[in-house]
């Protein structure tokens, strides 16, 4: 299967009988060949229904625009669907914001360079000037946008100027500045953050120190969509590793870095592959 | 959802366009409400297609026998399907064979007693007489079938006599006698064994000693269907745990016991819930 | 090595040079053969030092009482040690408190019956009358101590009456009553609780529901010593398992039960083997 | 603690009473401050004893050479010790051999660049010419040593020429050429390989395909010292990840890459920190 001939359909709607039949029937009748189908219902009686389909387009009997129109009219409306249909072949445009710690940034760039992340990296923006050379070696533009004391608004305005209309996804790869509600709103549902703890434990600053002082036996990392509430957005992925009394705060940071890299890379990949549906403050990951 | 109104349909067939539409359309047209659907294809071009559906039966417009007939005629034949349709409400009948180590047996009995395993435990059979009191306290018949030197055939004949026509599943919960090909054949696809290693590593006797002598840093347990080839049947579930140089063979056995209990309980549960499809020497677990 | 000839020495003191040499020299000079030694220092400069030694006693040149006296005089005092020396052969006396959910209780009783936990189970106490038969089948006395509305003090007084002077360890195996500070104080450092979440996430009631509503991708269980602050005592052990959007609250409870059983059993075992040193609000687990 | 003032002592000897006392007493009497001590005995009666100590050197009363001499004479000889004493401050010299797949190589270079691996990377050698630019960007010399059909000996001779006398550690970071016994012998105990399976399962070529065809539910990676027997040397570290029927061979390779990177990086780090003692065909990792 080539990505170029693959399309993806994501659906959220009230659950009731006949949805799967209607959707698959519709696609089949137009010559689409379904090669992946996942569905989930929170409750068959009055719950919410989610579905992700991947289908092959070479034998479609209509253009993809016509297919969307027909789907809207004949299926989506009937079931009250919130839906989107994407061509997998078109790479999403991703920007990365980063502060001093570059491990998550490099993990993404490196996977991008290897072809593991199907996207276009449009920009890297940092409030530290130190990563320019590394970033540019990947052929990616690097923007140094310092955040002065009392200059937060100005910095954000500059970031918006760089990104506006150019990106489908903004990744906060250990970007340590808190973004304004206006910024979050502008890129709603399109900002992924990596938090260096097993949320909801240890929100806020220096979670590895908090974990050390609490004496937990397992530490974690969490990738989530960003909402106006700090560290509270819908969780996409988490992972953990064991620690003991032997690890000090520095050791936890070392171990945690490896977790952060893996967890963020998985969340970004799933987002790029249209695997994530946000539902309230939670996610469905197909 | 009550189990009493739940049915399950499992399908294996050559992949080609239209299967999902045909199946879901068929069920919908007869008043079935699909509440779970999983599918997998090894390759959309010429591969094998697998599907598991769970649906609610209260509004069926035909009897379940008529539904099966209609499905056979109008869908299954067209796509060359290997399929089965079960009522979830009818508990499967399970027998357990065990030798001296009773931890897996007790895990199953205890989950059965708590209602975590939807089945009827028809019999426990052992070549050791020591578990009678414990087993009978669960209200389950206990059969002591000793295996004499050169009396293997006789013992197996006695086991067949006890089980024949009475069981849907035979669980080898650390039963340390090798079963004859004839026995395996008689209960083909219905025998689950727990092997105390991460297969295919450490087949055969005393795998914890083998693991110790190899110096592995992780040990495992494997639940699999039994075929004529010892320890080679389709794997249903595996799990592992970390070990270090500090653990001796006895420690590995202690740690492994906990793995075996968990892995076997999961595999048995999935089998009872019609989640496992065998395909060649592998399984699809929905 | 027989437990009967094994002794254990646990030490906490300010770190400074010469501790290990002094302790091992002392034991060696009295004919003790060290067969396990673990140590940890929070900071060699001004930190706290912890050590656990296991040694064999057959060739001691003095009685164990005399050994303790000599250790106190010649080593412990010099380094300002907080220490204890136990004979491994003497089983600790353990009581279990439980409410309606019996899975943790049964896990402990079953491991006790198999010899996996070296202890004497003196009593099981419950505010529900339902577990008597199961508990008594292990040869363990069962006490039904109901907690009436406004009768909390009375119930606790009855529990104290049963336990006082008879137990080295009180395990709260899903005992859902909050204990008074006076009770906690009376058994300080000797009460282990299992909390059904990955602490510090989801303190308080119904943590599986909290986890479900938060949409975490991993759930956990935590065994900890009980202090006056609810769910805040020193953590002994934690473990986790992956979940997805497919699991509802009931599924999380099912999965969590297996975690709780394992985590509590490990914590209790380590306590019984003198592997845990409490230091402030944290533990060192050797 | 600075690495510059840290020394490490590793010991293997027959177990008998008094070893810990003798060693710690010796170090204490010369002004060394022990800040980490791990020990292990396969059996206190007639087993083998292993110990790793880390100590601070600022207050030593002799030179480190004199300390070694004294230790040899007064302690090591008495107990028949196989031992080594290293200064942690002196970086080990590491070379990396790689074929086409560069993920393990880059993981090591990247950690080296971040200061996570305390070593000097002397050379990268490959039978493919493609990684030069990336390697040289880390300031590390890159040698392209092609392996012609029938030119294996020649290639190996060239590699020996590059490495001889210059390296303390040779890492095979997915180097897909089999090395001759003579080569292995020359660098005995100093070659670490990453094998892309959970050994001893799936030795030899294309282990991900083997895993796929076997239908395992967990895949792994193994870092081990290289001996003359292919894929059979002492295991240093292993890790695993879950897979299902949904992953094809390509997916397993993708998932496995992340495992390989982590497992190899940990094994190399532990070797560089003098944490690994080889004992027969197994390792003790402190």
């Amino acid at each position: 299967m080539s990505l170029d001939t693959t399309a993806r359909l994501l659906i959220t709607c009230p659950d009731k009988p006949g949805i799967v039949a209607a959707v698959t029937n519709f696609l089949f009748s137009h010559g689409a060949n379904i090669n992946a189908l996942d569905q989930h219902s929170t409750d068959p009686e009055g719950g919410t229904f989610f579905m992700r389909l991947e289908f092959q387009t070479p034998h479609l009997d209509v253009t993809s625009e016509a297919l969307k129109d027909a789907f809207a009219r004949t299926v989506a409306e009937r079931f009250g669907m919130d839906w989107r249909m994407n061509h997998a072949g078109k790479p999403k445009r991703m920007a990365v914001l980063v502060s001093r710690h570059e491990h998550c940034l490099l993990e993404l760039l490196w996977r991008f360079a290897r072809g593991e992340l199907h996207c276009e990296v449009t920009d890297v923006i940092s409030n530290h000037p130190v990563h320019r050379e590394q970033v540019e070696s990947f052929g990616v533009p690097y923007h140094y946008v310092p955040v002065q004391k009392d200059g937060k608004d100005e910095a954000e305005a500059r970031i918006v100027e760089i990104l506006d209309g150019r990106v489908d996804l903004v990744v906060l790869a250990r970007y340590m500045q808190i973004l304004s509600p206006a910024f979050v709103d502008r890129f709603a549902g399109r900002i992924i953050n990596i938090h260096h703890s097993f949320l909801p434990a240890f929100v806020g600053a220096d979670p590895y120190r908090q974990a050390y002082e609490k004496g937990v036996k397992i530490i974690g990392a969490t990738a989530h969509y960003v909402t106006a509430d700090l560290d509270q957005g819908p969780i996409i992925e988490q992972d953990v590793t064991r620690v003991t009394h032997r690890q000090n705060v520095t050791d936890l940071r070392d171990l945690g870095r490896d977790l952060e890299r893996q967890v963020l890379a998985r969340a970004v990949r799933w987002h790029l592959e249209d695997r994530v549906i946000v539902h309230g403050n939670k996610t469905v990951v197909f």
Side-chain angles (χ1 to χ4, degrees), chain A:
Chain A
M1 285 171 287
S2 161
L3 282 183
D4 287 338
T5 60
T6 302
R8 294 167 189 147
L9 173 59
L10 278 80
I11 293 167
T12 305
C13 66
D15 198 2
K16 58 176 145 175
I19 302 172
V20 177
V23 173
T24 57
N25 223 32
F26 170 85
L27 289 174
F28 180 60
S29 71
H30 284 288
N33 188 14
I34 297 167
N35 64 272
L37 184 161
D38 274 294
Q39 59 128 53
H40 172 62
S41 173
T42 58
D43 185 349
E45 310 284 337
T48 303
F49 179 86
F50 306 90
M51 187 156 57
R52 178 185 186 271
L53 298 104
E54 237 183 60
F55 57 93
Q56 299 303 308
T57 58
H59 307 296
L60 282 186
D61 62 358
V62 292
T63 66
S64 59
E65 281 316 301
L67 189 75
K68 286 185 191 180
D69 283 354
F71 185 75
R73 267 183 295 110
T74 62
V75 181
E77 196 173 324
R78 172 148 61 105
F79 291 97
M81 289 176 175
D82 185 8
W83 65 282
R84 61 183 202 262
M85 200 185 286
N86 291 334
H87 279 275
K90 192 179 167 206
K92 291 190 172 57
R93 300 160 303 165
M94 174 172 87
V96 184
L97 272 62
V98 64
S99 293
R100 194 163 52 82
H101 294 295
E102 85 284 23
H103 52 283
C104 288
L105 167 67
L106 286 178
E107 183 75 26
L108 293 177
L109 289 174
W110 184 69
R111 287 182 189 258
F112 161 67
R114 283 182 55 87
E116 293 185 26
L117 296 175
H118 183 63
C119 64
E120 177 193 344
V121 184
T122 60
D123 305 280
V124 171
I125 300 174
S126 178
N127 58 332
H128 289 255
V130 291
H131 315 303
R132 179 178 300 276
E133 196 179 346
Q134 278 186 298
V135 170
E136 292 181 348
S137 78
F138 287 90
V140 171
Y142 181 84
H143 311 270
Y144 169 45
V145 180
V147 181
Q148 313 293 348
K149 206 199 279 244
D150 303 325
K152 215 177 153 69
D153 291 356
E154 200 181 332
E156 239 183 57
R158 175 70 189 116
I159 295 172
V160 168
E161 192 180 12
I162 295 168
L163 300 182
D164 214 18
R166 297 190 56 214
V167 295
D168 303 301
L169 176 62
V170 179
V171 178
L172 310 184
R174 299 294 304 270
Y175 184 67
M176 307 311 281
Q177 301 290 325
I178 294 173
L179 296 166
S180 71
F183 187 96
V184 171
D185 199 50
R186 181 183 290 261
F187 298 96
R190 290 183 290 156
I191 316 178
I192 293 177
N193 182 48
I194 179 75
H195 185 75
H196 37 316
S197 85
F198 181 81
L199 288 174
F202 311 131
V203 300
D206 211 346
Y208 292 124
R209 178 164 297 280
Q210 292 183 57
Y212 175 77
E213 283 170 2
K214 179 64 189 171
V216 289
K217 301 301 186 185
I218 288 173
I219 59 167
T222 304
H224 63 94
Y225 287 109
V226 173
T227 59
D229 288 337
L230 183 67
D231 301 335
Q232 298 293 335
I235 293 170
I236 305 167
E237 169 66 341
Q238 305 188 284
D239 211 342
V240 296
T241 197
R242 280 201 168 267
V243 296
T244 73
H245 58 270
R246 294 188 194 282
Q247 275 84 37
N248 61 24
V249 178
T250 304
D251 297 330
L252 298 189
R253 284 193 191 112
D254 281 0
L255 286 168
R257 261 199 309 268
D258 292 348
L259 282 179
E260 296 164 34
R261 290 161 61 193
Q262 302 271 341
V263 168
L264 180 60
R266 287 202 289 264
V268 167
R269 180 170 180 165
W270 296 340
H271 179 95
L272 295 174
E273 292 177 356
D274 296 307
R275 296 186 175 280
V276 191
I277 300 177
V278 172
H279 178 59
N281 201 43
K282 299 164 66 169
T283 63
V284 170
V285 180
F286 283 126

